[in-house]
Every structure is written in structure tokens, then in C-alpha cells.
Amino acid sequence: MSKLILYDAISAQIKAEVAAIKAVQLWNNQVDNEKEEEARIHPSAYIEFSSIVWDELTKGSSEGQIVVTIKTVIERLQTDDRTFLTIVDDVYKALQLFQGVQFTPLKRIAERQDTDHDNVIVWESDFSTLLVDCTADTDQDKPTVTATLDLDVELDIDNDVIRTGDGE
């Protein structure tokens, strides 16, 4: 579930903050497979979970150091270079230090241009974040019990031992 929460948050943030982006999807090598798949709407952003290194916490909870790659894609003939680079910068501004309840602020760690395409321009931006995953938490579905304690003891808060903690 944690990857889904991260994906949904990044997708919503790009859609809300970068008006030029027309579509956001999970990366599945769409650029190379575009001839075999339906036509894509551009400019678009693709979300790729490039790497996740997990550490177990307690009771089935984990935290993962994640590198998320955002691939910003345009049709070469539809957008000029300056506009494309402005869109890339807008994606960066939308995501840099963006955070959610289960993940730390996203931080850009690398960028590169993917130049292996004829009709599209692809820019890849890597962001790092720490994600907490409680999907397998062994306590998450257990019922909770609230207990009320009735104490018949009065505390003497004027007592020096209680107030200062200097008892023997």
C-alpha cells in the first residue's frame, strides 16, 4: 500500500502544480513501446520506482529508502526546447521538498536527458525519499481496549520528596 500512497501523492501533486502536464502514469517503458501501444498524450510525466532498499522496523513495519524517477516526455514537433525545459523545471518545483504522512520530503538527487529517441524528448529527474510501510503491521487489525482506573489514593503534591524527587 505504501508505494500506492506515494504514487498517488506524486501524481496528484504534478497534476495540481504543473498545468502543462496532460497525463501522469506509472512508467512501463511507454516511450519505446509507443508504436505498439495506443498513442500517448504529451507533455506527460511517468513515475518510476527506480530502487527501494527496505529495512525492517518492528511488528511488520518497514522503512524504505526510495529513488523515484520522474520521466517528463514531450513530442519533439509539438513543443520547443525552451518550453520543454520550463516544464521540467516546473515538475522539479512541484516535487522538491513535497512530503506526505508516510514519506519524508522528496529531494532531487540527479537528472539526465535520455537522448535515445527520434520523435520525443525525455528528461529524467531522480528524487529520494524515506517511506514508512505498515502494510504487514501485525497490530494494525487488532482491537484496542480502553481501561479506566479508579485510584483511591490522594497524592500530596506539597510533599518535598514528590515535588523534588529527592527521596531515599
Side-chain angles (χ1 to χ4, degrees), residues 19-66:
I21 295 292
K22 304 300 181 205
V24 179
Q25 292 182 321
L26 188 63
W27 176 247
N28 190 25
N29 209 16
Q30 286 91 333
V31 173
D32 290 337
N33 296 325
E34 196 160 86
K35 292 178 181 92
E36 298 158 18
E37 297 184 23
E38 70 273 4
R40 298 282 170 211
I41 299 170
H42 297 296
S44 54
Y46 297 99
I47 301 169
E48 177 183 25
F49 294 102
S50 301
S51 72
I52 306 174
V53 178
W54 291 104
D55 283 326
E56 289 300 314
L57 297 175
T58 59
K59 298 182 182 180
S61 295
S62 307
E63 70 178 13
Q65 186 66 46
I66 299 182

CSV table of all heavy atoms in Angstrom, one decimal, residues 19-66:
chain,number,residue,atom,x,y,z
A,19,ALA,N,0.5,22.7,-14.8
A,19,ALA,CA,-0.7,22.7,-15.7
A,19,ALA,C,-0.3,22.2,-17.1
A,19,ALA,O,-1.2,21.6,-17.8
A,19,ALA,CB,-1.2,24.1,-15.9
A,20,ALA,N,0.9,22.3,-17.5
A,20,ALA,CA,1.3,21.8,-18.9
A,20,ALA,C,1.3,20.3,-19.0
A,20,ALA,O,1.2,19.8,-20.1
A,20,ALA,CB,2.7,22.4,-19.2
A,21,ILE,N,1.5,19.6,-17.9
A,21,ILE,CA,1.5,18.1,-18.0
A,21,ILE,C,0.0,17.6,-18.2
A,21,ILE,O,-0.9,17.9,-17.4
A,21,ILE,CB,2.0,17.5,-16.7
A,21,ILE,CG1,3.5,17.9,-16.5
A,21,ILE,CG2,1.8,16.0,-16.7
A,21,ILE,CD1,4.4,17.2,-17.6
A,22,LYS,N,-0.2,16.9,-19.3
A,22,LYS,CA,-1.5,16.4,-19.7
A,22,LYS,C,-1.8,15.0,-19.1
A,22,LYS,O,-3.0,14.7,-19.0
A,22,LYS,CB,-1.7,16.4,-21.2
A,22,LYS,CG,-1.4,17.7,-21.8
A,22,LYS,CD,-2.3,18.8,-21.3
A,22,LYS,CE,-2.0,20.1,-22.0
A,22,LYS,NZ,-2.4,21.3,-21.2
A,23,ALA,N,-0.8,14.2,-18.8
A,23,ALA,CA,-1.1,12.9,-18.3
A,23,ALA,C,0.1,12.5,-17.3
A,23,ALA,O,1.2,12.8,-17.6
A,23,ALA,CB,-1.1,11.9,-19.5
A,24,VAL,N,-0.3,11.7,-16.3
A,24,VAL,CA,0.7,11.1,-15.4
A,24,VAL,C,0.4,9.7,-15.2
A,24,VAL,O,-0.8,9.3,-15.0
A,24,VAL,CB,0.6,11.8,-14.0
A,24,VAL,CG1,1.6,11.2,-13.0
A,24,VAL,CG2,0.8,13.3,-14.1
A,25,GLN,N,1.4,8.8,-15.4
A,25,GLN,CA,1.2,7.4,-15.3
A,25,GLN,C,2.4,6.7,-14.7
A,25,GLN,O,3.5,7.3,-14.7
A,25,GLN,CB,1.0,6.8,-16.7
A,25,GLN,CG,-0.3,7.1,-17.4
A,25,GLN,CD,-0.4,6.4,-18.8
A,25,GLN,OE1,0.6,6.3,-19.5
A,25,GLN,NE2,-1.6,6.0,-19.1
A,26,LEU,N,2.2,5.5,-14.3
A,26,LEU,CA,3.3,4.6,-13.8
A,26,LEU,C,4.2,4.3,-15.1
A,26,LEU,O,3.6,3.9,-16.1
A,26,LEU,CB,2.8,3.4,-13.1
A,26,LEU,CG,3.8,2.5,-12.4
A,26,LEU,CD1,4.5,3.2,-11.3
A,26,LEU,CD2,3.1,1.2,-11.9
A,27,TRP,N,5.5,4.3,-14.9
A,27,TRP,CA,6.4,4.1,-16.1
A,27,TRP,C,6.4,2.6,-16.4
A,27,TRP,O,6.5,1.7,-15.5
A,27,TRP,CB,7.8,4.5,-15.7
A,27,TRP,CG,8.8,4.2,-16.7
A,27,TRP,CD1,9.9,3.2,-16.6
A,27,TRP,CD2,9.0,4.7,-18.0
A,27,TRP,NE1,10.6,3.2,-17.7
A,27,TRP,CE2,10.1,4.1,-18.6
A,27,TRP,CE3,8.3,5.7,-18.7
A,27,TRP,CZ2,10.5,4.5,-19.9
A,27,TRP,CZ3,8.7,6.0,-20.0
A,27,TRP,CH2,9.8,5.4,-20.6
A,28,ASN,N,6.2,2.3,-17.7
A,28,ASN,CA,6.2,0.9,-18.2
A,28,ASN,C,6.9,0.9,-19.6
A,28,ASN,O,6.5,0.3,-20.5
A,28,ASN,CB,4.8,0.3,-18.3
A,28,ASN,CG,4.8,-1.1,-18.6
A,28,ASN,OD1,5.8,-1.8,-18.3
A,28,ASN,ND2,3.8,-1.6,-19.2
A,29,ASN,N,7.9,1.8,-19.7
A,29,ASN,CA,8.7,1.9,-21.0
A,29,ASN,C,7.8,2.3,-22.1
A,29,ASN,O,8.0,1.9,-23.2
A,29,ASN,CB,9.4,0.6,-21.3
A,29,ASN,CG,10.7,0.8,-22.1
A,29,ASN,OD1,11.2,1.9,-22.1
A,29,ASN,ND2,11.2,-0.2,-22.7
A,30,GLN,N,6.9,3.2,-21.8
A,30,GLN,CA,5.9,3.7,-22.8
A,30,GLN,C,6.6,4.3,-24.0
A,30,GLN,O,6.1,4.1,-25.2
A,30,GLN,CB,4.9,4.6,-22.2
A,30,GLN,CG,3.9,4.0,-21.3
A,30,GLN,CD,4.3,4.0,-19.9
A,30,GLN,OE1,5.5,3.9,-19.5
A,30,GLN,NE2,3.3,3.9,-19.0
A,31,VAL,N,7.7,5.0,-23.8
A,31,VAL,CA,8.3,5.7,-25.0
A,31,VAL,C,8.8,4.7,-26.0
A,31,VAL,O,8.6,4.9,-27.2
A,31,VAL,CB,9.4,6.6,-24.4
A,31,VAL,CG1,10.2,7.2,-25.6
A,31,VAL,CG2,8.9,7.7,-23.6
A,32,ASP,N,9.5,3.7,-25.6
A,32,ASP,CA,10.0,2.7,-26.5
A,32,ASP,C,8.9,1.8,-27.1
A,32,ASP,O,9.0,1.3,-28.2
A,32,ASP,CB,11.0,1.8,-25.9
A,32,ASP,CG,12.3,2.6,-25.6
A,32,ASP,OD1,12.6,3.6,-26.2
A,32,ASP,OD2,13.1,2.2,-24.7
A,33,ASN,N,7.8,1.7,-26.4
A,33,ASN,CA,6.7,0.8,-26.9
A,33,ASN,C,5.5,1.6,-27.5
A,33,ASN,O,4.5,1.0,-27.7
A,33,ASN,CB,6.2,-0.1,-25.7
A,33,ASN,CG,7.2,-1.0,-25.2
A,33,ASN,OD1,8.0,-1.5,-25.9
A,33,ASN,ND2,7.2,-1.2,-23.9
A,34,GLU,N,5.8,2.9,-27.7
A,34,GLU,CA,4.7,3.7,-28.2
A,34,GLU,C,4.0,3.2,-29.5
A,34,GLU,O,2.8,3.3,-29.7
A,34,GLU,CB,5.1,5.1,-28.3
A,34,GLU,CG,4.0,6.1,-28.4
A,34,GLU,CD,4.4,7.5,-28.1
A,34,GLU,OE1,4.9,8.2,-29.0
A,34,GLU,OE2,4.3,7.9,-26.9
A,35,LYS,N,4.8,2.7,-30.4
A,35,LYS,CA,4.2,2.2,-31.6
A,35,LYS,C,3.3,1.0,-31.4
A,35,LYS,O,2.3,0.8,-32.1
A,35,LYS,CB,5.4,1.8,-32.6
A,35,LYS,CG,6.2,3.0,-33.1
A,35,LYS,CD,7.3,2.5,-34.0
A,35,LYS,CE,8.1,3.7,-34.4
A,35,LYS,NZ,9.2,4.0,-33.6
A,36,GLU,N,3.6,0.2,-30.4
A,36,GLU,CA,2.8,-1.0,-30.1
A,36,GLU,C,1.6,-0.6,-29.2
A,36,GLU,O,0.6,-1.4,-29.1
A,36,GLU,CB,3.6,-2.0,-29.4
A,36,GLU,CG,4.8,-2.5,-30.3
A,36,GLU,CD,5.9,-3.1,-29.5
A,36,GLU,OE1,5.7,-3.5,-28.3
A,36,GLU,OE2,7.0,-3.2,-30.0
A,37,GLU,N,1.7,0.4,-28.4
A,37,GLU,CA,0.6,0.8,-27.5
A,37,GLU,C,-0.2,2.0,-28.2
A,37,GLU,O,0.1,2.5,-29.2
A,37,GLU,CB,1.1,1.3,-26.2
A,37,GLU,CG,1.9,0.2,-25.4
A,37,GLU,CD,2.4,0.7,-24.1
A,37,GLU,OE1,1.8,1.6,-23.5
A,37,GLU,OE2,3.3,0.1,-23.6
A,38,GLU,N,-1.3,2.3,-27.5
A,38,GLU,CA,-2.1,3.5,-28.0
A,38,GLU,C,-1.3,4.8,-27.9
A,38,GLU,O,-0.3,4.9,-27.2
A,38,GLU,CB,-3.4,3.6,-27.3
A,38,GLU,CG,-3.3,4.1,-25.8
A,38,GLU,CD,-3.0,3.0,-24.8
A,38,GLU,OE1,-2.9,1.8,-25.2
A,38,GLU,OE2,-2.9,3.3,-23.6
A,39,ALA,N,-1.7,5.7,-28.7
A,39,ALA,CA,-0.9,7.0,-28.8
A,39,ALA,C,-1.0,7.6,-27.4
A,39,ALA,O,-2.0,7.6,-26.7
A,39,ALA,CB,-1.6,7.9,-29.8
A,40,ARG,N,0.1,8.3,-27.0
A,40,ARG,CA,0.2,8.9,-25.7
A,40,ARG,C,-0.1,10.4,-25.8
A,40,ARG,O,0.1,11.0,-26.9
A,40,ARG,CB,1.6,8.7,-25.1
A,40,ARG,CG,2.0,7.3,-24.9
A,40,ARG,CD,1.3,6.8,-23.6
A,40,ARG,NE,1.5,5.4,-23.6
A,40,ARG,CZ,0.6,4.6,-23.0
A,40,ARG,NH1,-0.5,5.0,-22.5
A,40,ARG,NH2,0.9,3.3,-23.0
A,41,ILE,N,-0.6,11.0,-24.8
A,41,ILE,CA,-0.8,12.4,-24.7
A,41,ILE,C,0.4,13.0,-24.1
A,41,ILE,O,0.9,12.6,-23.1
A,41,ILE,CB,-2.1,12.7,-23.8
A,41,ILE,CG1,-3.3,12.0,-24.4
A,41,ILE,CG2,-2.2,14.2,-23.6
A,41,ILE,CD1,-4.5,12.1,-23.4
A,42,HIS,N,0.9,14.1,-24.8
A,42,HIS,CA,2.1,14.8,-24.3
A,42,HIS,C,1.8,16.3,-24.2
A,42,HIS,O,0.9,16.8,-24.9
A,42,HIS,CB,3.3,14.5,-25.3
A,42,HIS,CG,3.7,13.1,-25.4
A,42,HIS,ND1,4.2,12.4,-24.4
A,42,HIS,CD2,3.7,12.3,-26.4
A,42,HIS,CE1,4.5,11.2,-24.8
A,42,HIS,NE2,4.2,11.1,-26.0
A,43,PRO,N,2.5,17.0,-23.3
A,43,PRO,CA,3.5,16.6,-22.4
A,43,PRO,C,3.0,15.6,-21.3
A,43,PRO,O,1.8,15.8,-20.9
A,43,PRO,CB,4.0,17.9,-21.8
A,43,PRO,CG,3.5,19.0,-22.6
A,43,PRO,CD,2.3,18.4,-23.3
A,44,SER,N,3.8,14.7,-20.9
A,44,SER,CA,3.4,13.7,-19.9
A,44,SER,C,4.5,13.5,-18.9
A,44,SER,O,5.6,13.8,-19.2
A,44,SER,CB,3.0,12.4,-20.5
A,44,SER,OG,4.0,11.9,-21.4
A,45,ALA,N,4.1,13.0,-17.8
A,45,ALA,CA,5.1,12.6,-16.7
A,45,ALA,C,4.8,11.2,-16.3
A,45,ALA,O,3.7,10.7,-16.2
A,45,ALA,CB,4.9,13.5,-15.5
A,46,TYR,N,5.9,10.4,-16.2
A,46,TYR,CA,5.8,9.0,-15.9
A,46,TYR,C,6.6,8.8,-14.6
A,46,TYR,O,7.7,9.4,-14.4
A,46,TYR,CB,6.4,8.1,-17.0
A,46,TYR,CG,5.6,8.2,-18.2
A,46,TYR,CD1,6.1,9.0,-19.3
A,46,TYR,CD2,4.5,7.5,-18.4
A,46,TYR,CE1,5.4,9.1,-20.5
A,46,TYR,CE2,3.7,7.6,-19.6
A,46,TYR,CZ,4.2,8.4,-20.6
A,46,TYR,OH,3.5,8.5,-21.8
A,47,ILE,N,6.0,8.0,-13.7
A,47,ILE,CA,6.6,7.8,-12.3
A,47,ILE,C,7.2,6.4,-12.3
A,47,ILE,O,6.5,5.4,-12.6
A,47,ILE,CB,5.6,7.9,-11.2
A,47,ILE,CG1,4.9,9.3,-11.3
A,47,ILE,CG2,6.1,7.6,-9.9
A,47,ILE,CD1,3.7,9.4,-10.4
A,48,GLU,N,8.5,6.3,-12.0
A,48,GLU,CA,9.2,5.0,-12.0
A,48,GLU,C,9.8,4.9,-10.6
A,48,GLU,O,10.5,5.8,-10.1
A,48,GLU,CB,10.3,4.9,-13.0
A,48,GLU,CG,11.1,3.7,-12.9
A,48,GLU,CD,12.3,3.6,-13.9
A,48,GLU,OE1,12.7,4.7,-14.4
A,48,GLU,OE2,12.7,2.5,-14.3
A,49,PHE,N,9.6,3.7,-9.9
A,49,PHE,CA,10.2,3.4,-8.7
A,49,PHE,C,11.5,2.7,-9.0
A,49,PHE,O,11.6,1.5,-9.2
A,49,PHE,CB,9.3,2.5,-7.8
A,49,PHE,CG,8.1,3.2,-7.3
A,49,PHE,CD1,6.9,2.9,-7.9
A,49,PHE,CD2,8.1,4.1,-6.3
A,49,PHE,CE1,5.7,3.6,-7.5
A,49,PHE,CE2,7.0,4.8,-5.9
A,49,PHE,CZ,5.7,4.5,-6.5
A,50,SER,N,12.6,3.5,-9.1
A,50,SER,CA,13.9,3.1,-9.6
A,50,SER,C,14.6,2.1,-8.7
A,50,SER,O,15.1,1.1,-9.1
A,50,SER,CB,14.8,4.2,-9.9
A,50,SER,OG,14.2,5.1,-10.8
A,51,SER,N,14.5,2.4,-7.4
A,51,SER,CA,15.1,1.4,-6.4
A,51,SER,C,14.4,1.7,-5.1
A,51,SER,O,14.1,2.8,-4.7
A,51,SER,CB,16.6,1.6,-6.3
A,51,SER,OG,16.9,2.8,-5.7
A,52,ILE,N,14.3,0.6,-4.3
A,52,ILE,CA,13.8,0.7,-3.0
A,52,ILE,C,14.6,-0.3,-2.1
A,52,ILE,O,14.7,-1.5,-2.4
A,52,ILE,CB,12.3,0.2,-2.9
A,52,ILE,CG1,11.4,1.0,-3.8
A,52,ILE,CG2,11.8,0.4,-1.4
A,52,ILE,CD1,10.0,0.5,-3.9
A,53,VAL,N,15.3,0.3,-1.1
A,53,VAL,CA,16.0,-0.5,-0.2
A,53,VAL,C,15.3,-0.5,1.2
A,53,VAL,O,15.1,0.5,1.8
A,53,VAL,CB,17.5,0.0,0.0
A,53,VAL,CG1,18.3,-0.8,1.0
A,53,VAL,CG2,18.2,0.1,-1.4
A,54,TRP,N,14.8,-1.7,1.6
A,54,TRP,CA,14.0,-1.8,2.8
A,54,TRP,C,14.8,-2.2,4.0
A,54,TRP,O,15.7,-3.0,3.9
A,54,TRP,CB,12.9,-2.9,2.5
A,54,TRP,CG,11.9,-2.5,1.5
A,54,TRP,CD1,11.8,-2.9,0.3
A,54,TRP,CD2,10.8,-1.5,1.7
A,54,TRP,NE1,10.7,-2.3,-0.4
A,54,TRP,CE2,10.1,-1.5,0.5
A,54,TRP,CE3,10.4,-0.7,2.8
A,54,TRP,CZ2,9.0,-0.7,0.3
A,54,TRP,CZ3,9.3,0.1,2.6
A,54,TRP,CH2,8.6,0.1,1.4
A,55,ASP,N,14.4,-1.6,5.1
A,55,ASP,CA,14.9,-2.0,6.5
A,55,ASP,C,13.6,-2.4,7.3
A,55,ASP,O,12.7,-1.6,7.3
A,55,ASP,CB,15.6,-0.9,7.1
A,55,ASP,CG,17.0,-0.7,6.6
A,55,ASP,OD1,17.6,-1.8,6.2
A,55,ASP,OD2,17.5,0.4,6.5
A,56,GLU,N,13.7,-3.5,8.0
A,56,GLU,CA,12.6,-3.9,8.9
A,56,GLU,C,12.6,-3.0,10.1
A,56,GLU,O,13.7,-2.8,10.7
A,56,GLU,CB,12.6,-5.3,9.2
A,56,GLU,CG,12.3,-6.3,8.1
A,56,GLU,CD,10.9,-6.1,7.5
A,56,GLU,OE1,10.0,-6.0,8.3
A,56,GLU,OE2,10.8,-6.0,6.2
A,57,LEU,N,11.4,-2.6,10.6
A,57,LEU,CA,11.3,-1.9,11.8
A,57,LEU,C,10.8,-2.8,12.9
A,57,LEU,O,11.5,-3.8,13.2
A,57,LEU,CB,10.4,-0.6,11.7
A,57,LEU,CG,10.9,0.4,10.7
A,57,LEU,CD1,9.9,1.5,10.5
A,57,LEU,CD2,12.2,1.0,11.1
A,58,THR,N,9.6,-2.7,13.3
A,58,THR,CA,9.0,-3.6,14.3
A,58,THR,C,7.6,-4.0,13.9
A,58,THR,O,7.0,-3.3,13.1
A,58,THR,CB,8.9,-2.9,15.7
A,58,THR,OG1,8.0,-1.7,15.5
A,58,THR,CG2,10.2,-2.5,16.2
A,59,LYS,N,7.3,-5.2,14.3
A,59,LYS,CA,5.9,-5.7,14.1
A,59,LYS,C,5.4,-5.7,12.7
A,59,LYS,O,4.3,-5.4,12.4
A,59,LYS,CB,4.9,-5.0,15.0
A,59,LYS,CG,5.2,-5.2,16.5
A,59,LYS,CD,4.1,-4.5,17.3
A,59,LYS,CE,4.5,-4.6,18.8
A,59,LYS,NZ,3.5,-3.9,19.6
A,60,GLY,N,6.3,-5.9,11.7
A,60,GLY,CA,5.9,-5.9,10.3
A,60,GLY,C,6.0,-4.6,9.6
A,60,GLY,O,5.7,-4.5,8.4
A,61,SER,N,6.4,-3.6,10.3
A,61,SER,CA,6.6,-2.3,9.6
A,61,SER,C,8.0,-2.2,9.0
A,61,SER,O,8.9,-2.8,9.6
A,61,SER,CB,6.4,-1.1,10.6
A,61,SER,OG,5.1,-1.1,11.1
A,62,SER,N,8.1,-1.5,7.9
A,62,SER,CA,9.3,-1.3,7.2
A,62,SER,C,9.5,0.1,6.9
A,62,SER,O,8.5,0.9,6.7
A,62,SER,CB,9.4,-2.1,5.9
A,62,SER,OG,9.1,-3.5,6.2
A,63,GLU,N,10.8,0.5,6.6
A,63,GLU,CA,11.0,1.8,6.0
A,63,GLU,C,11.9,1.6,4.8
A,63,GLU,O,12.8,0.8,4.9
A,63,GLU,CB,11.6,2.8,7.0
A,63,GLU,CG,13.0,2.6,7.4
A,63,GLU,CD,13.5,3.7,8.4
A,63,GLU,OE1,12.8,4.5,8.9
A,63,GLU,OE2,14.7,3.7,8.6
A,64,GLY,N,11.6,2.3,3.8
A,64,GLY,CA,12.3,2.1,2.5
A,64,GLY,C,13.0,3.4,2.0
A,64,GLY,O,12.3,4.4,2.0
A,65,GLN,N,14.2,3.3,1.7
A,65,GLN,CA,14.9,4.4,1.0
A,65,GLN,C,14.6,4.3,-0.5
A,65,GLN,O,15.0,3.3,-1.1
A,65,GLN,CB,16.4,4.4,1.3
A,65,GLN,CG,17.1,5.6,0.8
A,65,GLN,CD,16.7,6.9,1.4
A,65,GLN,OE1,16.6,7.0,2.7
A,65,GLN,NE2,16.5,7.9,0.7
A,66,ILE,N,13.9,5.2,-1.0
A,66,ILE,CA,13.4,5.1,-2.4
A,66,ILE,C,13.9,6.1,-3.3
A,66,ILE,O,14.0,7.3,-2.9
A,66,ILE,CB,11.8,5.2,-2.4
A,66,ILE,CG1,11.2,4.1,-1.6
A,66,ILE,CG2,11.3,5.1,-3.8
A,66,ILE,CD1,9.7,4.0,-1.6
